Amino acid sequence: MSNWTRNTKKIGELATGHELTIPVYRFAGTDSNAPRVYIQANVHGAEVQGNAVIFQLMKQLEKLELQGDITLVPLANPLGINQKSGEFTLGRFDPITGVNWNREYQDLTPSLSDWFEAHKHLPTEQFIAAYRQSLLNSCHQQLDSPWGVTTGRRLALSLQLMAHEADIVLDLHTGPKSCKHLYCPEYTRDAAGLFSIPCVLMMPNEFGGAMDEAAFYPWWQLTDYVVSRGMTMTPAVEAYTLELGSQERIDMQDAADDCEGILAFLANRGVIKADIEPKAMARYSCALADYRKFHSPMGGLVEYLAAPGTPLSAGEPLVRILRPDRFGESEQQQTLCLPEDSIPVLHFASASVYQGTELYKVMTKYTRLS
Amino acid sequence: MSNWTRNTKKIGELATGHELTIPVYRFAGTDSNAPRVYIQANVHGAEVQGNAVIFQLMKQLEKLELQGDITLVPLANPLGINQKSGEFTLGRFDPITGVNWNREYQDLTPSLSDWFEAHKHLPTEQFIAAYRQSLLNSCHQQLDSPWGVTTGRRLALSLQLMAHEADIVLDLHTGPKSCKHLYCPEYTRDAAGLFSIPCVLMMPNEFGGAMDEAAFYPWWQLTDYVVSRGMTMTPAVEAYTLELGSQERIDMQDAADDCEGILAFLANRGVIKADIEPKAMARYSCALADYRKFHSPMGGLVEYLAAPGTPLSAGEPLVRILRPDRFGESEQQQTLCLPEDSIPVLHFASASVYQGTELYKVMTKYTRLS
Amino acid sequence: MSNWTRNTKKIGELATGHELTIPVYRFAGTDSNAPRVYIQANVHGAEVQGNAVIFQLMKQLEKLELQGDITLVPLANPLGINQKSGEFTLGRFDPITGVNWNREYQDLTPSLSDWFEAHKHLPTEQFIAAYRQSLLNSCHQQLDSPWGVTTGRRLALSLQLMAHEADIVLDLHTGPKSCKHLYCPEYTRDAAGLFSIPCVLMMPNEFGGAMDEAAFYPWWQLTDYVVSRGMTMTPAVEAYTLELGSQERIDMQDAADDCEGILAFLANRGVIKADIEPKAMARYSCALADYRKFHSPMGGLVEYLAAPGTPLSAGEPLVRILRPDRFGESEQQQTLCLPEDSIPVLHFASASVYQGTELYKVMTKYTRLS
Amino acid sequence: MSNWTRNTKKIGELATGHELTIPVYRFAGTDSNAPRVYIQANVHGAEVQGNAVIFQLMKQLEKLELQGDITLVPLANPLGINQKSGEFTLGRFDPITGVNWNREYQDLTPSLSDWFEAHKHLPTEQFIAAYRQSLLNSCHQQLDSPWGVTTGRRLALSLQLMAHEADIVLDLHTGPKSCKHLYCPEYTRDAAGLFSIPCVLMMPNEFGGAMDEAAFYPWWQLTDYVVSRGMTMTPAVEAYTLELGSQERIDMQDAADDCEGILAFLANRGVIKADIEPKAMARYSCALADYRKFHSPMGGLVEYLAAPGTPLSAGEPLVRILRPDRFGESEQQQTLCLPEDSIPVLHFASASVYQGTELYKVMTKYTRLS
């Protein structure tokens, strides 16, 4: 029986003066040494299923024994979620600038040589706390600039302020038409076997602007630096992006399954006291560099033949391109294949494409995890 | 073994000067007394499946014996089809004006008393030909106005020029997430049993700006007028809108099924010489006035519970609205029902809605057709 | 020194659950027999200048002696105002359906023969009050339908509920690139000389879905009916749309000018006690049927040559179309003219057009008003 | 009297199968040793004025004596130019992905140590030709990838193929509401005094994805490398982005002025044989790092007070933010200033903003150039 509170956090302001706010739920744990968790959903406007998962999670957390604190933020990007264009949600990028909402997070890693010199004398716990504080301070400094920050940056930094307080960060997304997949930093490979997710992309120590990277990168950088100085350290923070199927879909039953996977992970990490086994399933992974995009070599109408999540051999049919303007010619219908064995993970949401539209993203050089 | 030709017809011009063109395929029939047919697809940009059906039809027509001429226009609205917004096709309305592409067709019915007086002496065949010519003349007059016509009107009139040449007009659309359904004028109820389509909306003698209405309305008006003058006449033209499932989907196998249904209809009408029976299936119909829209009483996330095409009793669950901002309150999750028995025909494409978004369209007061 | 209050009225709900609200300011008059006034602005999202005019008006009203009550609603369409697309505001139509926000108002005229029979015995004041009440009742009935109403309809009906309470309704808009112009019902031609507006379109007794029409049409219909029954009556309500220059522009000084014109009108109508003379200026009017659109006969880049508000003789240059794809040909640059004398009132906002884009709206067959 | 030819180059394909093409004009020079020039316009869809400048240039070039070859590409991004959203052109970013069309160019600098080792023996002219060839080869390699390239990348690489053939590259853009300004690499500061442009941003040796950078960066890198090896070299290529005022505007007279400035530059560089003096005007420059963005600290309606191109002291009024929802409170109207002296160069195109919208870009720490 855990207690929770709800607050409303302001993250922006519209042209009419209306405040952009997000709901913030906090579940209190009983053990201040247990890892603290931050979970958010729906930063991309059409990717709503994470809200359903947070909903199911909160239902479970109310009944479970929590050791670590858990902060949950559904509907994390109200501007994106409410941005309709025709019958769909145009919530992948800022409608004014085009900038992807999930590329606005900041790498707040300080100058490591300076910072390390100034703090190396501290005991581990304080050393870590000081580093965490430097990340939070950087957030505040950017938010308080007299030149202001962009709408998307303000949102991102506001979310980072909550994420940097946590030891575990989960960012819930979906693909367009997609099987479930996980972005997992290489240094916590073991987590890949805990979630109810079959496809795993192993992330290198690089920063690309996403929430998970913003959360783990400064710690991974610090760890590498400390190790380079001949000491030992493991990153104090872990962060994951969970891609929970397809966008523009709410499925409460499926959300319960994903909730179960997250609980298995949290139990493993000592956040909740519960005996939850990870789901048995075939899991596959590849390096992020081997997660490849296939772009349409022509414009036309598309029949998607390869099902996300199912391995596909090189040369097997991936899509069929229909060209009704070319009836009677060889171009009227063409079947496209990939040059390598792969597991298709997601495909484009629309059935018509320009030349160059990203048709599929696929795992290549993949291996069986478990 | 029928012959066909392809032409390219210009229907507009872009800002860069590029021509907007459509492909026009003509299959020649052997009997000049057989009905002539006009079929178009994809006037709404996201509704691509009609192109696949035309493709399958042309494959069959190449092998069949044609009596009447058939004109086929896939990709009928290039501006709409190519209008992407995020990962979807924003092709339902003109991006500049918001006008629905399928509300731009014109009612070209002349002043019937004047026209009838001037032509009543003609023998039936010439009487009909003269009326047809007056419709075509009106098209040309509008297109040639010194004040110009809008982009959408030019497209619509250009398509009408081809449609008014025909005795049978089929306009291929899809719903957002939809079962197959047919818009059928009441005076040709028999057609409802010929296509491979389970749900039928019976249309009254009214004009609303759609292609099927533009094609049949002037003839229905004429017929009513002639009958009001004590003579007998049946409308010389029939026109249908076929809604072939969901948008943003190409499925060649399903297209073959719909092709079969259209061929059954064309065989029945004497356009092709073939022995094709209509598919046996339960078919339901209701009056267009009983085809009702249900709008969301609140904003939120939506789980669609009722499957299009399956009867739903009053009070049975239609949708579940999830409100993650209201966790712990009674509004957190609500199930909505309809006040009447219905067959849900289509629902909204996105899983998040504003208050007032059209959630479902349903047939009420429906009857079994066959 | 007049008193005012501000309330916040809910007119919708977003996908995130956030309420769509509008600010409603009420200034109390001292004479309950004086006309009541309703003024709104910014129903089209990009047309912001009306807000500045309401702001200046409220500044003045605070200092003036009010006889009639005045209700003012700036920022009347938050969904439209906040709908950005690139660097502009896409607030002319519902982003989901394409329906123009100013075509959602309802004609709530009851069946006049029935209504008249039931109420003809009433004394004038009660007769008018009863009619007003029937309009309000119809609003409520539509809003309470178990099938719901669309997002735009809900907004429109919510605004109508306030407008139908008033005797004078002003709807503040702007054109794209435009001189100031006024939509004025023919039965109150005198008003055309009171505002600070040079171009006037005289409106017939027809309903087209705009706020001004929704406000005056039921009263004009009633008046005509009463007169047809041999009695005398003048419409109890007057309503105007003021187009205050160009969209995407805030100009506080110009807003003060328009404020002065509105005050001159309100003083004339006995709403405020003040000696404010209408501005001396050349004013021109034409019938709405003679307010014509000129559509581009070709795609291309546009240099707008005719200044809005300045008379243009037939054959004088209107626009120059540049076609950089046709350099060296006669089409490289073309000057377009109109076939009639006119006053150009507004032109398209963008410098590139499709074939069929509405380039200009112009008054033809215009006359000098004063 | 120079000769020219026009070709049509395919740079993509739409969903309907229509080809995306651009017009390519080539004017032949008489001296094969004179610099070759590449000029393009309208990569951002709303920035049309560069087409008018190219048009005026071609008019002049027809009459002038050319020494170097000049390639001109107006309407360089047909997908962007034709992308309308409401009354404006949504042509700043790919409508599917949100990626800015002017951030898709590639840095094709090879590994310099390897490349230098392999080519250092070559005489200067061949050394430069070999380097140029390596850039072109990289373009082709990317375009020919079996995984395809995105729509925007294909466009960018297709344009780069033409640009890398030239010694001088001019990319014609505009700001939103803007005075004229120039992006100039620091190593060719002298050019800043030749164009008819008052504000100049000095660019460092960094790559950000724009055409000018893609053109000069590999040469600047090479030069630095060669110099680091103790030899002398100056970059063989120079490239500039010209921002020719505001978007959504065609002004043929102003285009003639900019044409004159470009001709003065080309005459100075020996591309044309003509005696054209640069226009006398006050010119100011600052480092790109000192070209700063000011973001709105609140949502609201905006009156832009500072005119682009006019110096503004710290503390002088920049914009006034109107908040009609807060009438009677101190927030109802607020005037914002900058903390530093500046020259405002451009401001946002819309009069309503979110919190965080980029209101102005201004030059700080600027100096008088001439």
Side-chain angles (χ1 to χ4, degrees):
Chain A
M1 285 306 160
S2 58
N3 289 319
W4 57 267
T5 59
R6 177 176 62 212
N7 288 293
T8 296
K9 188 182 169 79
K10 177 179 170 186
I11 49 85
E13 221 171 68
L14 294 172
T16 48
H18 288 92
E19 292 195 350
L20 285 167
T21 62
I22 54 177
V24 178
Y25 296 90
R26 293 188 194 274
F27 284 70
T30 54
D31 177 358
S32 65
N33 291 319
R36 285 155 300 169
V37 178
Y38 173 75
I39 305 178
Q40 68 177 20
N42 210 177
V43 163
H44 286 141
E47 304 180 4
V48 290
Q49 175 71 355
N51 298 307
V53 173
I54 283 181
F55 188 87
Q56 299 287 36
L57 260 175
M58 293 198 292
K59 286 274 190 209
Q60 294 304 311
L61 292 178
E62 280 189 310
K63 294 181 276 183
L64 287 165
E65 185 177 339
L66 260 69
Q67 294 174 287
D69 296 342
I70 305 183
T71 299
L72 304 105
V73 179
L75 304 166
N77 180 3
L79 191 50
I81 296 163
N82 292 324
Q83 178 80 6
K84 293 287 181 182
S85 180
E87 296 153 66
F88 300 98
T89 308
L90 186 60
R92 193 165 182 77
F93 45 78
D94 184 321
I96 298 178
T97 61
V99 179
N100 188 322
W101 295 112
N102 196 25
R103 294 295 176 277
E104 287 277 20
Y105 300 97
Q106 292 293 98
D107 168 21
L108 301 174
T109 307
S111 160
L112 286 172
S113 54
D114 294 352
W115 191 90
F116 184 75
E117 277 315 300
H119 299 85
K120 65 183 174 185
H121 60 284
L122 293 174
T124 302
E125 204 170 318
Q126 290 174 39
F127 180 85
I128 285 174
Y131 195 69
R132 192 183 298 278
Q133 195 56 50
S134 94
L135 301 178
L136 294 170
N137 292 348
S138 293
C139 274
H140 284 298
Q141 262 168 42
Q142 289 206 22
L143 283 167
D144 296 343
S145 161
W147 293 90
V149 293
T150 68
T151 307
R153 182 63 47 83
R154 177 172 297 278
L155 171 64
L157 288 167
S158 300
L159 299 174
Q160 270 185 265
L161 273 178
M162 293 186 284
H164 287 312
E165 297 274 13
D167 306 297
I168 292 173
V169 172
L170 303 184
D171 193 12
L172 309 187
H173 283 252
T174 78
K177 300 287 182 183
S178 177
C179 69
K180 293 176 191 173
H181 53 292
L182 176 76
Y183 288 85
C184 176
E186 279 168 4
Y187 67 81
T188 57
R189 299 180 69 88
D190 74 301
L194 300 172
F195 297 100
S196 300
I197 296 182
C199 293
V200 182
L201 307 163
M202 290 298 175
M203 300 180 76
N205 193 3
E206 280 169 16
F207 180 73
M211 168 54 102
D212 53 357
E213 295 162 333
F216 72 62
Y217 184 74
W219 294 97
W220 200 344
Q221 292 292 96
L222 176 65
T223 301
D224 281 2
Y225 186 83
V226 168
V227 169
S228 79
R229 300 294 298 256
M231 281 160 278
T232 60
M233 182 180 178
T234 53
V237 166
E238 50 186 323
Y240 307 89
T241 297
L242 285 71
E243 305 270 347
L244 302 166
S246 301
Q247 65 191 14
E248 294 290 16
R249 186 187 69 118
I250 290 286
D251 182 324
M252 295 307 289
Q253 187 49 53
D254 195 41
D257 285 358
D258 283 308
C259 169
E260 203 64 15
I262 292 172
L263 290 175
F265 169 76
L266 295 180
N268 177 283
R269 291 322 200 225
V271 179
I272 58 174
K273 220 171 187 166
D275 221 13
I276 305 174
E277 284 302 301
K279 200 170 185 174
M281 59 167 65
R283 290 181 174 83
Y284 299 89
S285 84
C286 76
L288 190 60
D290 296 320
Y291 186 45
R292 305 206 60 175
K293 302 175 181 179
F294 179 71
H295 304 89
S296 185
M298 66 205 71
L301 309 178
V302 183
E303 187 170 15
Y304 296 94
L305 302 174
T310 305
L312 185 81
S313 297
E316 281 189 296
L318 182 76
V319 295
R320 196 181 286 134
I321 305 281
L322 182 69
R323 282 288 294 269
D325 60 318
R326 304 291 284 271
F327 185 73
E329 302 175 35
S330 62
E331 292 84 356
Q332 66 179 8
Q333 216 179 7
Q334 293 172 78
T335 301
L336 305 182
C337 311
L338 294 179
E340 296 185 39
D341 289 358
S342 69
I343 300 177
V345 170
L346 59 85
H347 66 71
F348 192 56
S350 167
S352 70
V353 296
Y354 302 150
Q355 185 184 33
T357 299
E358 185 187 305
L359 279 173
Y360 268 92
K361 285 177 86 169
V362 304
M363 294 167 71
T364 64
K365 303 185 179 56
Y366 63 88
T367 55
R368 180 87 185 245
L369 256 185
S370 55
Chain B
M1 286 306 159
S2 58
N3 290 320
W4 56 268
T5 59
R6 179 177 61 212
N7 288 294
T8 297
K9 187 180 169 79
K10 178 180 170 184
I11 49 84
E13 221 170 69
L14 294 171
T16 46
H18 288 93
E19 293 194 349
L20 285 168
T21 61
I22 53 176
V24 178
Y25 295 90
R26 296 187 192 275
F27 284 70
T30 54
D31 177 358
S32 65
N33 291 319
R36 284 154 300 170
V37 179
Y38 173 75
I39 305 177
Q40 70 179 17
N42 210 179
V43 163
H44 285 142
E47 304 180 4
V48 290
Q49 176 70 355
N51 298 308
V53 173
I54 284 181
F55 187 87
Q56 298 287 36
L57 260 175
M58 294 198 290
K59 287 276 189 208
Q60 294 303 313
L61 293 178
E62 281 189 310
K63 293 181 275 183
L64 286 164
E65 186 177 336
L66 259 69
Q67 293 174 288
D69 296 342
I70 304 183
T71 299
L72 303 107
V73 178
L75 304 168
N77 180 3
L79 191 50
I81 297 163
N82 292 325
Q83 178 79 7
K84 292 287 180 183
S85 180
E87 295 154 67
F88 299 99
T89 308
L90 185 61
R92 190 163 184 79
F93 45 79
D94 183 321
I96 298 177
T97 62
V99 180
N100 188 321
W101 295 111
N102 196 26
R103 294 295 175 277
E104 286 277 21
Y105 299 98
Q106 292 294 99
D107 168 21
L108 301 175
T109 308
S111 160
L112 286 172
S113 54
D114 294 354
W115 191 89
F116 184 74
E117 276 315 301
H119 299 86
K120 65 183 175 188
H121 59 284
L122 292 175
T124 302
E125 202 170 321
Q126 290 174 38
F127 180 85
I128 285 175
Y131 194 70
R132 192 185 297 278
Q133 194 57 49
S134 95
L135 301 178
L136 294 170
N137 292 348
S138 293
C139 274
H140 283 298
Q141 263 168 41
Q142 289 206 24
L143 283 168
D144 296 344
S145 161
W147 292 89
V149 292
T150 67
T151 307
R153 182 64 45 85
R154 177 172 296 279
L155 171 64
L157 289 167
S158 300
L159 299 174
Q160 270 185 264
L161 273 177
M162 293 186 284
H164 286 312
E165 297 273 14
D167 305 297
I168 293 171
V169 172
L170 304 182
D171 193 12
L172 308 187
H173 283 252
T174 79
K177 299 289 182 180
S178 179
C179 70
K180 293 176 190 175
H181 53 293
L182 177 75
Y183 288 85
C184 175
E186 281 168 3
Y187 66 82
T188 56
R189 297 180 71 86
D190 74 301
L194 299 173
F195 296 100
S196 302
I197 296 182
C199 293
V200 182
L201 308 164
M202 290 296 176
M203 300 180 77
N205 193 2
E206 281 168 15
F207 181 73
M211 169 52 102
D212 53 356
E213 295 163 333
F216 72 63
Y217 184 73
W219 294 96
W220 200 346
Q221 291 292 95
L222 176 66
T223 301
D224 281 2
Y225 187 83
V226 168
V227 169
S228 78
R229 299 294 298 255
M231 283 161 277
T232 59
M233 183 179 176
T234 53
V237 165
E238 50 186 324
Y240 307 88
T241 297
L242 286 72
E243 304 271 347
L244 303 166
S246 301
Q247 65 193 13
E248 294 290 16
R249 185 187 69 117
I250 289 287
D251 182 325
M252 294 308 289
Q253 186 50 53
D254 195 41
D257 285 358
D258 283 308
C259 169
E260 202 65 14
I262 292 172
L263 290 176
F265 169 76
L266 295 181
N268 176 284
R269 289 324 200 224
V271 179
I272 57 173
K273 220 173 187 164
D275 221 12
I276 304 175
E277 284 302 302
K279 201 169 183 172
M281 59 165 66
R283 290 181 175 84
Y284 299 90
S285 85
C286 77
L288 190 60
D290 296 320
Y291 186 45
R292 304 206 60 175
K293 300 175 182 180
F294 179 71
H295 305 89
S296 185
M298 66 205 71
L301 308 180
V302 184
E303 186 170 15
Y304 297 94
L305 301 174
T310 305
L312 186 81
S313 298
E316 281 189 297
L318 183 76
V319 294
R320 196 181 287 133
I321 306 280
L322 182 70
R323 283 286 293 268
D325 59 319
R326 303 291 283 271
F327 185 72
E329 302 175 36
S330 62
E331 292 84 355
Q332 65 180 8
Q333 216 180 7
Q334 294 172 79
T335 302
L336 305 181
C337 311
L338 295 180
E340 297 184 39
D341 289 358
S342 70
I343 301 177
V345 171
L346 59 86
H347 67 71
F348 192 56
S350 168
S352 70
V353 297
Y354 302 151
Q355 185 185 33
T357 298
E358 184 187 305
L359 279 173
Y360 268 92
K361 286 177 85 169
V362 304
M363 293 168 70
T364 64
K365 302 184 180 54
Y366 62 88
T367 55
R368 179 87 185 243
L369 257 185
S370 55
Chain C
M1 285 302 163
S2 58
N3 289 319
W4 58 267
T5 59
R6 179 177 61 211
N7 288 294
T8 296
K9 188 182 169 78
K10 178 179 170 185
I11 49 85
E13 222 170 68
L14 294 172
T16 46
H18 288 93
E19 293 194 350
L20 285 168
T21 62
I22 54 177
V24 178
Y25 295 89
R26 294 188 194 274
F27 284 70
T30 54
D31 177 357
S32 65
N33 290 318
R36 284 155 300 170
V37 179
Y38 173 75
I39 304 177
Q40 69 178 18
N42 211 178
V43 163
H44 285 141
E47 304 181 4
V48 291
Q49 176 71 353
N51 297 308
V53 173
I54 284 181
F55 187 87
Q56 298 287 36
L57 260 175
M58 294 198 290
K59 286 275 189 207
Q60 294 303 313
L61 293 178
E62 281 190 310
K63 294 181 276 182
L64 287 165
E65 185 177 337
L66 259 70
Q67 294 175 287
D69 295 342
I70 305 182
T71 299
L72 304 107
V73 179
L75 304 167
N77 180 4
L79 192 50
I81 297 163
N82 292 326
Q83 178 79 9
K84 293 287 181 183
S85 180
E87 296 153 65
F88 300 98
T89 308
L90 186 62
R92 191 164 183 79
F93 46 77
D94 183 321
I96 298 178
T97 63
V99 179
N100 188 323
W101 294 112
N102 196 26
R103 295 293 175 278
E104 286 279 20
Y105 300 97
Q106 292 293 97
D107 168 21
L108 301 175
T109 308
S111 160
L112 286 172
S113 54
D114 295 353
W115 190 89
F116 183 76
E117 277 314 302
H119 299 86
K120 63 183 175 187
H121 60 285
L122 292 175
T124 302
E125 204 170 321
Q126 290 174 40
F127 179 85
I128 285 175
Y131 194 70
R132 193 184 297 279
Q133 194 56 50
S134 94
L135 301 179
L136 294 170
N137 292 348
S138 293
C139 274
H140 283 298
Q141 262 169 43
Q142 289 206 23
L143 283 168
D144 296 343
S145 161
W147 293 90
V149 292
T150 67
T151 307
R153 183 64 46 85
R154 176 172 296 278
L155 171 65
L157 289 167
S158 300
L159 299 175
Q160 270 185 266
L161 273 177
M162 293 185 284
H164 286 313
E165 297 273 14
D167 305 297
I168 293 172
V169 172
L170 304 183
D171 193 11
L172 308 187
H173 283 252
T174 78
K177 298 290 181 179
S178 178
C179 68
K180 293 177 189 174
H181 53 292
L182 177 75
Y183 288 86
C184 176
E186 280 169 4
Y187 66 82
T188 57
R189 298 179 71 87
D190 74 300
L194 300 172
F195 297 99
S196 301
I197 296 182
C199 292
V200 182
L201 308 163
M202 290 297 173
M203 300 180 76
N205 194 2
E206 280 169 14
F207 181 74
M211 168 52 102
D212 54 357
E213 295 162 333
F216 71 64
Y217 183 74
W219 294 97
W220 199 345
Q221 291 291 97
L222 176 64
T223 301
D224 281 1
Y225 187 83
V226 168
V227 169
S228 78
R229 300 294 298 255
M231 282 161 278
T232 59
M233 182 180 179
T234 52
V237 165
E238 50 186 324
Y240 306 88
T241 297
L242 285 72
E243 304 271 346
L244 303 166
S246 301
Q247 66 192 12
E248 294 290 17
R249 183 188 69 117
I250 289 286
D251 182 324
M252 294 308 288
Q253 186 50 54
D254 194 41
D257 285 357
D258 283 308
C259 169
E260 202 65 14
I262 291 172
L263 289 175
F265 169 76
L266 295 181
N268 177 284
R269 290 324 200 224
V271 179
I272 57 174
K273 220 172 186 164
D275 220 15
I276 305 176
E277 285 302 301
K279 200 170 185 174
M281 58 166 66
R283 291 181 173 83
Y284 299 90
S285 85
C286 76
L288 190 60
D290 295 320
Y291 187 45
R292 304 206 61 174
K293 301 175 181 179
F294 179 71
H295 304 89
S296 185
M298 66 205 72
L301 309 179
V302 184
E303 187 170 15
Y304 296 94
L305 301 175
T310 305
L312 186 80
S313 298
E316 281 189 296
L318 182 76
V319 294
R320 196 182 286 133
I321 306 280
L322 182 70
R323 283 287 294 269
D325 60 318
R326 303 291 283 272
F327 185 73
E329 300 175 36
S330 61
E331 292 85 355
Q332 66 179 9
Q333 216 179 6
Q334 294 172 78
T335 301
L336 305 182
C337 310
L338 294 180
E340 297 184 39
D341 289 358
S342 70
I343 300 177
V345 170
L346 60 84
H347 67 71
F348 192 56
S350 167
S352 70
V353 297
Y354 301 151
Q355 185 184 35
T357 299
E358 184 187 305
L359 279 174
Y360 269 90
K361 286 177 86 168
V362 304
M363 295 167 70
T364 63
K365 302 184 181 52
Y366 62 88
T367 56
R368 179 86 185 245
L369 257 184
S370 55
Chain D
M1 287 305 162
S2 58
N3 289 319
W4 58 267
T5 59
R6 179 176 62 211
N7 287 294
T8 296
K9 186 180 169 82
K10 177 179 171 186
I11 50 84
E13 221 171 68
L14 295 171
T16 47
H18 288 93
E19 292 194 351
L20 284 168
T21 62
I22 54 176
V24 178
Y25 296 90
R26 294 187 193 274
F27 284 71
T30 54
D31 177 357
S32 64
N33 290 319
R36 284 154 301 168
V37 179
Y38 172 76
I39 304 177
Q40 68 178 20
N42 211 178
V43 161
H44 285 141
E47 305 180 4
V48 290
Q49 176 70 355
N51 297 307
V53 173
I54 284 181
F55 187 87
Q56 299 287 36
L57 261 175
M58 294 198 291
K59 287 276 189 207
Q60 294 303 312
L61 293 178
E62 280 189 310
K63 293 181 276 184
L64 287 164
E65 185 177 336
L66 260 70
Q67 293 174 288
D69 295 342
I70 305 182
T71 299
L72 303 107
V73 178
L75 304 167
N77 180 3
L79 191 50
I81 297 163
N82 292 324
Q83 178 78 8
K84 293 286 180 183
S85 180
E87 296 153 67
F88 299 98
T89 308
L90 186 60
R92 190 162 184 79
F93 45 79
D94 184 321
I96 298 178
T97 61
V99 179
N100 187 323
W101 295 113
N102 196 26
R103 294 294 175 280
E104 287 278 20
Y105 300 97
Q106 292 294 98
D107 168 19
L108 302 175
T109 307
S111 160
L112 286 172
S113 53
D114 294 353
W115 191 90
F116 183 77
E117 277 315 301
H119 298 86
K120 64 183 176 188
H121 60 286
L122 291 176
T124 302
E125 204 170 320
Q126 290 174 39
F127 179 84
I128 285 175
Y131 194 69
R132 192 183 298 278
Q133 194 56 49
S134 95
L135 301 179
L136 295 169
N137 291 348
S138 293
C139 275
H140 284 297
Q141 262 168 43
Q142 289 206 24
L143 284 168
D144 297 344
S145 161
W147 292 90
V149 291
T150 67
T151 307
R153 182 64 46 85
R154 176 172 297 278
L155 171 64
L157 289 167
S158 299
L159 298 174
Q160 269 185 265
L161 273 177
M162 293 185 285
H164 286 313
E165 297 273 14
D167 306 297
I168 293 172
V169 172
L170 304 183
D171 193 11
L172 309 187
H173 283 252
T174 79
K177 300 288 181 182
S178 178
C179 69
K180 293 176 189 173
H181 52 293
L182 176 75
Y183 288 86
C184 175
E186 280 168 4
Y187 66 82
T188 57
R189 298 179 71 88
D190 74 300
L194 299 172
F195 296 100
S196 301
I197 295 181
C199 293
V200 182
L201 308 163
M202 290 298 174
M203 302 180 74
N205 193 3
E206 281 169 15
F207 181 73
M211 168 54 103
D212 54 355
E213 295 162 334
F216 72 61
Y217 184 74
W219 294 97
W220 199 345
Q221 292 291 95
L222 176 65
T223 301
D224 281 2
Y225 187 84
V226 168
V227 169
S228 78
R229 300 294 299 256
M231 282 161 277
T232 60
M233 183 181 177
T234 54
V237 165
E238 49 185 325
Y240 307 88
T241 297
L242 286 71
E243 304 270 345
L244 303 166
S246 300
Q247 66 193 12
E248 294 290 15
R249 185 186 69 116
I250 290 287
D251 182 323
M252 294 306 289
Q253 185 51 52
D254 194 41
D257 285 358
D258 283 309
C259 169
E260 203 64 14
I262 292 173
L263 291 176
F265 169 76
L266 295 181
N268 177 283
R269 290 323 199 225
V271 178
I272 56 174
K273 219 172 187 165
D275 220 13
I276 305 176
E277 285 302 301
K279 202 170 183 173
M281 59 166 65
R283 289 181 174 84
Y284 299 90
S285 83
C286 77
L288 190 59
D290 295 320
Y291 186 45
R292 304 206 61 174
K293 302 175 181 179
F294 179 70
H295 304 89
S296 186
M298 65 205 72
L301 308 179
V302 184
E303 186 170 14
Y304 296 94
L305 302 174
T310 305
L312 186 81
S313 297
E316 282 189 295
L318 183 75
V319 295
R320 198 182 285 135
I321 305 280
L322 181 71
R323 281 288 293 268
D325 60 318
R326 303 292 282 274
F327 185 73
E329 301 175 35
S330 62
E331 292 83 356
Q332 65 180 8
Q333 217 179 6
Q334 293 172 78
T335 302
L336 305 182
C337 311
L338 294 179
E340 297 185 38
D341 290 357
S342 69
I343 300 176
V345 170
L346 59 86
H347 66 72
F348 192 55
S350 167
S352 71
V353 297
Y354 302 150
Q355 185 184 34
T357 299
E358 185 188 305
L359 279 173
Y360 269 91
K361 285 177 86 168
V362 304
M363 293 167 71
T364 64
K365 303 185 179 56
Y366 61 89
T367 55
R368 179 86 185 245
L369 256 185
S370 55

